[in-house]
Amino acid sequence: MTNLLNPATAVDDGPVPETTRSDWASDQEVRWCPGCGDYSILTALQLLMPELGVRREKTVFISGIGCAARFPYYMNTYGVHTIHGRSPAVATGLAMARPDLDIWVIGGDGDMLSIGGNHLIHALRRNVNLNILMFNNQIYGLTKGQFSPTSEVGKVTKSSPVGALARPFNPISMALGAEASFAARTHDMDRHHMQEVFRRAHDHDGAAFVEVLQNCNVFNDGAFAAITKKDVRKDMLIDLQHGKPILFGSEEQYGVALAPEGAVIVEVAKLGLENVMVHDETIRNPSNAFALSRLAKTPDTPTPVGVFRSIERDEFSSSVAAQIDEIQAQLGQGKLENLLRSQPIWEV
Amino acid sequence: MTEIGGASSAPALELDEVIIRFAGDSGDGMQLTGDRFTNASAMFGNDLATLPEYPAEIRAPAGTMAGVSAFQVHISDHDITTPGDAPDVLVAMNPAALKSDLSTLVQGGTLIVNKDTFEERNLAKAGYESNPLDGEDLSGYRVIEVAMTTLTKEACAELGVKPRDADRSKNFFALGLLSWMYSRPIEPTIDWIDSKFAGKDMVIAANKAAFSAGHAYGETAELGAQRVVVKAAPLLKGTYTNINGNTALSWGLVAASQLSGLPLFLGSYPITPASDILHELSKHKAFGVTTFQAEDEIAAIGSAVGASYGGSIGVTTTSGPGVALKGEAMGLAVSLELPLIVVDVQRGGPSTGLPTKTEAADLMMAMYGRHGECPMPIVAPRTPADCFDTAIEAARIALVHQTPVMLLSDGYLANGSEPWRLPDVADLPNIDVEFATAFNMVNEDGEESFWPYLRDENLNRPIALPGTPGLMHRIGGIEKDDGTGNVSYDPENHERMVRLRHERVASIPIPDAVLEDGSTGNADLLMVGWGSTWGAITGACRRVRSTGGEVDHVHLTHLNPLPANLGDLLRSYRRVLVPELNLGQLVRILRAEYLVDARPLSKVKGQPFTAGEIQFAIIADINEFSGSPNEPTSTTTKKGVAV
Ligand code: SF4
């Protein structure tokens, strides 16, 4: 990027060493509540990392505040546990300073959609090369159970004893509205699905936003049980597959079609397979992805999971570096003597 | 251009200094006019100091008092330190400018007005019931009425410039006239017009025509004003440039990057009066500078923390309201023990306050404005050019002592300018930074490991940049174990860490405080200043000494930690007076730290102190305590005294 050298970027690369899960686990005791969905997300990621072909020392986990934000302590990589909501901002600065790093940003719905909402939307808009995993449990866990920006209307919590009033955010809709080049959803009950989505997020060049439906068994137990329990999944989760008709149900008897009012669930037998929407992640216009994101209003109706959108778009930190490179190619490396003489000067 | 530069027949009157104030509507280009006059004076070799003053609104309603924009410049043939107490010459481009700024003009001073604008509508907007040019109101001044608009339009007419466009060049007419009156060289202005408006031939032609017409007018019209010369000042040998504080500060940051070998990263959100640093640094990609215009103040500092963590020099620049928003992230940097530079270009507060006016009331916020025990070193530049050295000093402390540092500039330094003798780049000392590359601990099981909070003798922790093989570790804002860096809620450990963080800042070696030039060490009264008050305090002390008074002056660049000898120095004086552009913030710190009876001298008008105001206070103090019958003299001692 410049003539200025970071010792850490000067490391001779060579082949990436083989690793196993234990190489990616730190020596810290994991301190989430027993039964918390965070455990399975951690396991999924620790098992996936050896398959990604990346170095531990080039991998950084950045988080804000909340239960999810403890994640970096458990990964044997570089990591920073920052302050509430600001992880996308810290990660953006790090990505710009160090485009060689593989940066994961971990946070919850309160951290990323409430106090840090502004940073999240701007990181997505800029398309900074970050893998952003937002664990959505629809509650504030670490502060012991207040409603969150994804809690449903009417939710009774300590801070809403007669029911929460405000309409919740739909995280995928919000990400798409913020120009996300990659938006996906997965859930903590299916390791394989998580890993596939995380892998896709990692391989995406730009900001990859992943909503992970996560069970907080202490303050909001079963929030997603109606869709993620093993025996209901086939009927309640709509697995988006690029290039394939969007079908679900034990017999794939249901599908999704585009109607004037948006995406709707149809019976394939009635409508005909040819009228079922074929999923295309790569359409630049986000309308279809947005329609899919609006399909389920609450997590008790059939809900799409998988990659909603994945398009190629200029990545921010490399564009910033390219501007610097281009100027340096034009002008050469700056010389301080010349800078000091760049305004009118005179001799005494 | 033959008419330009022709010698006047009458010999010019030699003055040792002159203060000129250009005032007009925001749309009249007064900042540009003042700036050009200043640059021509700098090239000519005068010492100088400037005070740009402009409204917060980009275009306040034209012709109103709210829309008046002014630029004061003080030029001299000797060393000066302030833009001057009161102008000798006021250029008023419209009635509102006359009304708002006339009170600043010295009695008997020269008033140059664009008489074309003194018509009914503009007079009404300024709140004049009758035309002041007609009555006796201005009889105490030497009034020069010039039809600048008409003459500019006439000069441009033959070029085919439309009258409306010609009207925009009238500030160049004023500049030409003043350039003649004060014998300024014309080449710098002509060259500047050529380069500034390159490609816009009509604009170049119009501005040059207006400038020439103004110059010729001075030469040929019976102005009743003698041409004045202010000779070059005997400055030290060297190469000079005229520089304002924000530019000097930006260049200091670039220099720090070169001296440390670390890339510079600026995360910033636009805010007056700091935005020019963002603009300036955005130009210097050739130096590998990365600038990031963040979505808000918090993201700006957050990104800088991230960049510092990655091995850059993370910088964030803002003004008071932004510092308030960055508090939590500064605490994070304190906890992470990472280098970071926070630049606060102070302005009038609280809240939005006076965005374009100066004040220095953020010292307590810099010192204590974060939750928990959260110390940060603080440095403050004293002049526009000093912003260069102070920026390097901030970077040195941040990088060598691995801590966020606050740099307190202010609006007056940011926009004011002075001639700056360029340093020899080879003389600037390198900033040595080392990063950890190896394990530093052998665990009980005999395995080597890396402890991110295992301190060295300077209480620094090892910083291993991401990308360094083997040294993977986690850090965060939660309290951590001193040594391993693991999360720790242990009470003993927390107290140790709080004290360590305090000690790390308190023990930063900084130079002893030294008395300013002209101080004898024998006075009863010591003036203690910080930041931009240096110029006014220095000027005031010189005036007092020139009339036989005794006063000493010490000026602090480092406000945290304070110089080790400061307590003894303060106690060696009978009286200590602390001028500040706040209600007394440093003075409280001095009283608390040293149990000395330091007293405040406050000004919070959104303007810098004048030397006269401080001179008055010094004389009053000396008289009060010496029982001398001498009354303080006028606050505007003028000619013959170096200020
Ligand atoms: S409070 Fe909820 S989210 Fe937090 S650790 Fe416990 S179960 Fe998990």
Side-chain angles (χ1 to χ4, degrees), chain A residues 31-39 66-68 137 139-145 214-220:
Chain A
R31 291 198 195 158
W32 289 306
C33 307
C36 173
D38 289 353
Y39 283 95
C67 295
N137 55 22
I139 199 82
Y140 281 94
L142 197 63
T143 51
K144 300 201 168 65
Q214 175 247 328
N215 192 38
C216 169
N217 56 308
V218 172
F219 294 109
N220 200 18

mmCIF file of all heavy atoms in Angstrom, chain A residues 31-39 66-68 137 139-145 214-220, ligand 1:
data_model
loop_
_atom_site.group_PDB
_atom_site.id
_atom_site.type_symbol
_atom_site.label_atom_id
_atom_site.label_comp_id
_atom_site.label_asym_id
_atom_site.label_seq_id
_atom_site.Cartn_x
_atom_site.Cartn_y
_atom_site.Cartn_z
ATOM 1 N N ARG A 31 -18.036 -18.745 28.486
ATOM 2 C CA ARG A 31 -18.870 -18.348 29.627
ATOM 3 C C ARG A 31 -20.297 -17.961 29.258
ATOM 4 O O ARG A 31 -20.899 -17.091 29.876
ATOM 5 C CB ARG A 31 -18.221 -17.172 30.358
ATOM 6 C CG ARG A 31 -16.961 -17.558 31.072
ATOM 7 C CD ARG A 31 -16.612 -16.513 32.095
ATOM 8 N NE ARG A 31 -15.231 -16.670 32.546
ATOM 9 C CZ ARG A 31 -14.526 -15.699 33.090
ATOM 10 N NH1 ARG A 31 -15.053 -14.507 33.243
ATOM 11 N NH2 ARG A 31 -13.293 -15.915 33.485
ATOM 12 N N TRP A 32 -20.844 -18.551 28.205
ATOM 13 C CA TRP A 32 -22.257 -18.301 27.946
ATOM 14 C C TRP A 32 -23.095 -19.207 28.843
ATOM 15 O O TRP A 32 -22.600 -20.222 29.361
ATOM 16 C CB TRP A 32 -22.580 -18.595 26.477
ATOM 17 C CG TRP A 32 -22.004 -17.575 25.525
ATOM 18 C CD1 TRP A 32 -22.175 -16.227 25.578
ATOM 19 C CD2 TRP A 32 -21.182 -17.840 24.384
ATOM 20 N NE1 TRP A 32 -21.508 -15.629 24.537
ATOM 21 C CE2 TRP A 32 -20.889 -16.582 23.778
ATOM 22 C CE3 TRP A 32 -20.671 -18.995 23.792
ATOM 23 C CZ2 TRP A 32 -20.108 -16.477 22.639
ATOM 24 C CZ3 TRP A 32 -19.900 -18.881 22.656
ATOM 25 C CH2 TRP A 32 -19.615 -17.627 22.088
ATOM 26 N N CYS A 33 -24.380 -18.890 29.006
ATOM 27 C CA CYS A 33 -25.259 -19.731 29.819
ATOM 28 C C CYS A 33 -25.297 -21.127 29.194
ATOM 29 O O CYS A 33 -25.302 -21.257 27.969
ATOM 30 C CB CYS A 33 -26.684 -19.200 29.833
ATOM 31 S SG CYS A 33 -26.826 -17.486 30.309
ATOM 32 N N PRO A 34 -25.384 -22.131 30.022
ATOM 33 C CA PRO A 34 -25.514 -23.473 29.462
ATOM 34 C C PRO A 34 -26.757 -23.535 28.566
ATOM 35 O O PRO A 34 -27.803 -23.003 28.931
ATOM 36 C CB PRO A 34 -25.697 -24.361 30.699
ATOM 37 C CG PRO A 34 -25.140 -23.550 31.843
ATOM 38 C CD PRO A 34 -25.353 -22.118 31.487
ATOM 39 N N GLY A 35 -26.602 -24.118 27.407
ATOM 40 C CA GLY A 35 -27.737 -24.247 26.502
ATOM 41 C C GLY A 35 -27.910 -23.087 25.554
ATOM 42 O O GLY A 35 -28.782 -23.104 24.682
ATOM 43 N N CYS A 36 -27.089 -22.072 25.687
ATOM 44 C CA CYS A 36 -27.202 -20.906 24.808
ATOM 45 C C CYS A 36 -26.845 -21.279 23.370
ATOM 46 O O CYS A 36 -25.924 -22.071 23.132
ATOM 47 C CB CYS A 36 -26.263 -19.803 25.298
ATOM 48 S SG CYS A 36 -26.175 -18.389 24.165
ATOM 49 N N GLY A 37 -27.588 -20.689 22.434
ATOM 50 C CA GLY A 37 -27.334 -20.975 21.031
ATOM 51 C C GLY A 37 -25.955 -20.544 20.557
ATOM 52 O O GLY A 37 -25.449 -21.025 19.536
ATOM 53 N N ASP A 38 -25.321 -19.665 21.307
ATOM 54 C CA ASP A 38 -23.999 -19.182 20.903
ATOM 55 C C ASP A 38 -22.988 -20.322 20.813
ATOM 56 O O ASP A 38 -22.068 -20.282 19.996
ATOM 57 C CB ASP A 38 -23.485 -18.121 21.881
ATOM 58 C CG ASP A 38 -24.258 -16.808 21.773
ATOM 59 O OD1 ASP A 38 -25.085 -16.694 20.852
ATOM 60 O OD2 ASP A 38 -24.026 -15.916 22.607
ATOM 61 N N TYR A 39 -23.179 -21.323 21.662
ATOM 62 C CA TYR A 39 -22.218 -22.441 21.648
ATOM 63 C C TYR A 39 -22.163 -23.118 20.286
ATOM 64 O O TYR A 39 -21.094 -23.437 19.774
ATOM 65 C CB TYR A 39 -22.596 -23.486 22.708
ATOM 66 C CG TYR A 39 -22.224 -23.094 24.117
ATOM 67 C CD1 TYR A 39 -23.146 -22.480 24.950
ATOM 68 C CD2 TYR A 39 -20.946 -23.361 24.622
ATOM 69 C CE1 TYR A 39 -22.829 -22.123 26.247
ATOM 70 C CE2 TYR A 39 -20.618 -23.003 25.924
ATOM 71 C CZ TYR A 39 -21.554 -22.383 26.733
ATOM 72 O OH TYR A 39 -21.221 -22.041 28.003
ATOM 73 N N GLY A 66 -22.229 -7.240 24.405
ATOM 74 C CA GLY A 66 -23.378 -8.133 24.457
ATOM 75 C C GLY A 66 -22.874 -9.548 24.612
ATOM 76 O O GLY A 66 -21.665 -9.792 24.612
ATOM 77 N N CYS A 67 -23.806 -10.491 24.764
ATOM 78 C CA CYS A 67 -23.384 -11.889 24.928
ATOM 79 C C CYS A 67 -22.568 -12.333 23.719
ATOM 80 O O CYS A 67 -21.479 -12.888 23.848
ATOM 81 C CB CYS A 67 -24.611 -12.785 25.087
ATOM 82 S SG CYS A 67 -25.530 -12.431 26.599
ATOM 83 N N ALA A 68 -23.098 -12.073 22.528
ATOM 84 C CA ALA A 68 -22.427 -12.507 21.306
ATOM 85 C C ALA A 68 -21.021 -11.930 21.217
ATOM 86 O O ALA A 68 -20.097 -12.553 20.688
ATOM 87 C CB ALA A 68 -23.233 -12.078 20.084
ATOM 88 N N ASN A 137 -31.280 -12.787 18.649
ATOM 89 C CA ASN A 137 -32.099 -13.545 19.610
ATOM 90 C C ASN A 137 -33.310 -12.736 20.074
ATOM 91 O O ASN A 137 -34.010 -13.112 20.999
ATOM 92 C CB ASN A 137 -31.260 -14.037 20.795
ATOM 93 C CG ASN A 137 -30.524 -12.897 21.482
ATOM 94 O OD1 ASN A 137 -30.923 -11.741 21.357
ATOM 95 N ND2 ASN A 137 -29.470 -13.216 22.204
ATOM 96 N N ILE A 139 -33.728 -10.164 21.833
ATOM 97 C CA ILE A 139 -33.792 -9.765 23.239
ATOM 98 C C ILE A 139 -32.427 -9.208 23.642
ATOM 99 O O ILE A 139 -31.437 -9.487 22.972
ATOM 100 C CB ILE A 139 -34.161 -10.989 24.141
ATOM 101 C CG1 ILE A 139 -34.690 -10.564 25.508
ATOM 102 C CG2 ILE A 139 -32.971 -11.922 24.317
ATOM 103 C CD1 ILE A 139 -36.150 -10.191 25.489
ATOM 104 N N TYR A 140 -32.409 -8.401 24.702
ATOM 105 C CA TYR A 140 -31.126 -8.034 25.305
ATOM 106 C C TYR A 140 -30.792 -9.082 26.363
ATOM 107 O O TYR A 140 -31.519 -9.220 27.346
ATOM 108 C CB TYR A 140 -31.202 -6.649 25.960
ATOM 109 C CG TYR A 140 -31.093 -5.509 24.971
ATOM 110 C CD1 TYR A 140 -32.220 -4.921 24.431
ATOM 111 C CD2 TYR A 140 -29.850 -5.032 24.592
ATOM 112 C CE1 TYR A 140 -32.114 -3.880 23.520
ATOM 113 C CE2 TYR A 140 -29.735 -3.988 23.684
ATOM 114 C CZ TYR A 140 -30.866 -3.425 23.149
ATOM 115 O OH TYR A 140 -30.760 -2.397 22.248
ATOM 116 N N GLY A 141 -29.719 -9.810 26.142
ATOM 117 C CA GLY A 141 -29.341 -10.865 27.069
ATOM 118 C C GLY A 141 -28.463 -10.367 28.197
ATOM 119 O O GLY A 141 -28.785 -10.520 29.380
ATOM 120 N N LEU A 142 -27.363 -9.737 27.827
ATOM 121 C CA LEU A 142 -26.347 -9.387 28.828
ATOM 122 C C LEU A 142 -26.883 -8.409 29.876
ATOM 123 O O LEU A 142 -26.454 -8.408 31.017
ATOM 124 C CB LEU A 142 -25.126 -8.792 28.131
ATOM 125 C CG LEU A 142 -23.845 -8.740 28.951
ATOM 126 C CD1 LEU A 142 -23.373 -10.137 29.326
ATOM 127 C CD2 LEU A 142 -22.743 -8.043 28.163
ATOM 128 N N THR A 143 -27.858 -7.560 29.467
ATOM 129 C CA THR A 143 -28.432 -6.625 30.439
ATOM 130 C C THR A 143 -29.683 -7.207 31.078
ATOM 131 O O THR A 143 -30.455 -6.505 31.718
ATOM 132 C CB THR A 143 -28.751 -5.271 29.778
ATOM 133 O OG1 THR A 143 -29.511 -5.519 28.599
ATOM 134 C CG2 THR A 143 -27.484 -4.511 29.429
ATOM 135 N N LYS A 144 -29.915 -8.492 30.821
ATOM 136 C CA LYS A 144 -30.928 -9.291 31.517
ATOM 137 C C LYS A 144 -32.361 -9.025 31.076
ATOM 138 O O LYS A 144 -33.254 -8.801 31.890
ATOM 139 C CB LYS A 144 -30.805 -9.121 33.033
ATOM 140 C CG LYS A 144 -29.435 -9.558 33.561
ATOM 141 C CD LYS A 144 -29.485 -9.876 35.031
ATOM 142 C CE LYS A 144 -28.241 -10.578 35.507
ATOM 143 N NZ LYS A 144 -27.026 -9.760 35.422
ATOM 144 N N GLY A 145 -32.548 -9.033 29.762
ATOM 145 C CA GLY A 145 -33.894 -9.240 29.271
ATOM 146 C C GLY A 145 -34.787 -8.055 28.996
ATOM 147 O O GLY A 145 -35.960 -8.069 29.357
ATOM 148 N N GLN A 214 -30.688 -17.053 16.724
ATOM 149 C CA GLN A 214 -29.986 -17.661 17.856
ATOM 150 C C GLN A 214 -30.891 -17.698 19.068
ATOM 151 O O GLN A 214 -31.535 -16.707 19.407
ATOM 152 C CB GLN A 214 -28.714 -16.848 18.156
ATOM 153 C CG GLN A 214 -27.941 -17.292 19.371
ATOM 154 C CD GLN A 214 -27.977 -16.259 20.485
ATOM 155 O OE1 GLN A 214 -28.035 -15.060 20.227
ATOM 156 N NE2 GLN A 214 -27.949 -16.725 21.727
ATOM 157 N N ASN A 215 -30.930 -18.833 19.718
ATOM 158 C CA ASN A 215 -31.811 -18.984 20.869
ATOM 159 C C ASN A 215 -31.128 -18.486 22.141
ATOM 160 O O ASN A 215 -30.055 -18.943 22.503
ATOM 161 C CB ASN A 215 -32.211 -20.458 21.043
ATOM 162 C CG ASN A 215 -33.341 -20.607 22.038
ATOM 163 O OD1 ASN A 215 -34.242 -19.765 22.070
ATOM 164 N ND2 ASN A 215 -33.290 -21.650 22.852
ATOM 165 N N CYS A 216 -31.789 -17.552 22.819
ATOM 166 C CA CYS A 216 -31.367 -17.151 24.160
ATOM 167 C C CYS A 216 -32.279 -17.909 25.108
ATOM 168 O O CYS A 216 -33.421 -17.520 25.334
ATOM 169 C CB CYS A 216 -31.524 -15.641 24.353
ATOM 170 S SG CYS A 216 -31.317 -15.136 26.065
ATOM 171 N N ASN A 217 -31.755 -19.018 25.623
ATOM 172 C CA ASN A 217 -32.633 -19.886 26.396
ATOM 173 C C ASN A 217 -32.968 -19.317 27.771
ATOM 174 O O ASN A 217 -33.836 -19.820 28.459
ATOM 175 C CB ASN A 217 -32.034 -21.289 26.528
ATOM 176 C CG ASN A 217 -30.648 -21.249 27.133
ATOM 177 O OD1 ASN A 217 -29.798 -20.499 26.650
ATOM 178 N ND2 ASN A 217 -30.412 -22.012 28.180
ATOM 179 N N VAL A 218 -32.301 -18.257 28.176
ATOM 180 C CA VAL A 218 -32.603 -17.678 29.483
ATOM 181 C C VAL A 218 -33.677 -16.590 29.391
ATOM 182 O O VAL A 218 -34.604 -16.565 30.182
ATOM 183 C CB VAL A 218 -31.319 -17.114 30.131
ATOM 184 C CG1 VAL A 218 -31.642 -16.339 31.404
ATOM 185 C CG2 VAL A 218 -30.352 -18.248 30.433
ATOM 186 N N PHE A 219 -33.568 -15.720 28.416
ATOM 187 C CA PHE A 219 -34.502 -14.585 28.392
ATOM 188 C C PHE A 219 -35.518 -14.623 27.249
ATOM 189 O O PHE A 219 -36.448 -13.826 27.235
ATOM 190 C CB PHE A 219 -33.721 -13.265 28.321
ATOM 191 C CG PHE A 219 -32.919 -13.014 29.558
ATOM 192 C CD1 PHE A 219 -31.543 -13.110 29.549
ATOM 193 C CD2 PHE A 219 -33.556 -12.726 30.753
ATOM 194 C CE1 PHE A 219 -30.800 -12.887 30.696
ATOM 195 C CE2 PHE A 219 -32.835 -12.512 31.916
ATOM 196 C CZ PHE A 219 -31.446 -12.589 31.893
ATOM 197 N N ASN A 220 -35.316 -15.502 26.295
ATOM 198 C CA ASN A 220 -36.267 -15.520 25.174
ATOM 199 C C ASN A 220 -36.297 -16.918 24.572
ATOM 200 O O ASN A 220 -36.185 -17.084 23.366
ATOM 201 C CB ASN A 220 -35.844 -14.484 24.117
ATOM 202 C CG ASN A 220 -36.990 -14.112 23.195
ATOM 203 O OD1 ASN A 220 -38.155 -14.351 23.504
ATOM 204 N ND2 ASN A 220 -36.645 -13.531 22.056
HETATM 205 S S1 SF4 C 1 -28.293 -14.481 28.283
HETATM 206 FE FE1 SF4 C 1 -29.135 -15.581 26.548
HETATM 207 S S2 SF4 C 1 -27.805 -14.982 24.820
HETATM 208 FE FE2 SF4 C 1 -26.738 -14.434 26.710
HETATM 209 S S3 SF4 C 1 -25.433 -16.176 27.111
HETATM 210 FE FE3 SF4 C 1 -27.312 -16.467 28.275
HETATM 211 S S4 SF4 C 1 -28.584 -17.658 26.901
HETATM 212 FE FE4 SF4 C 1 -26.940 -16.851 25.663
#
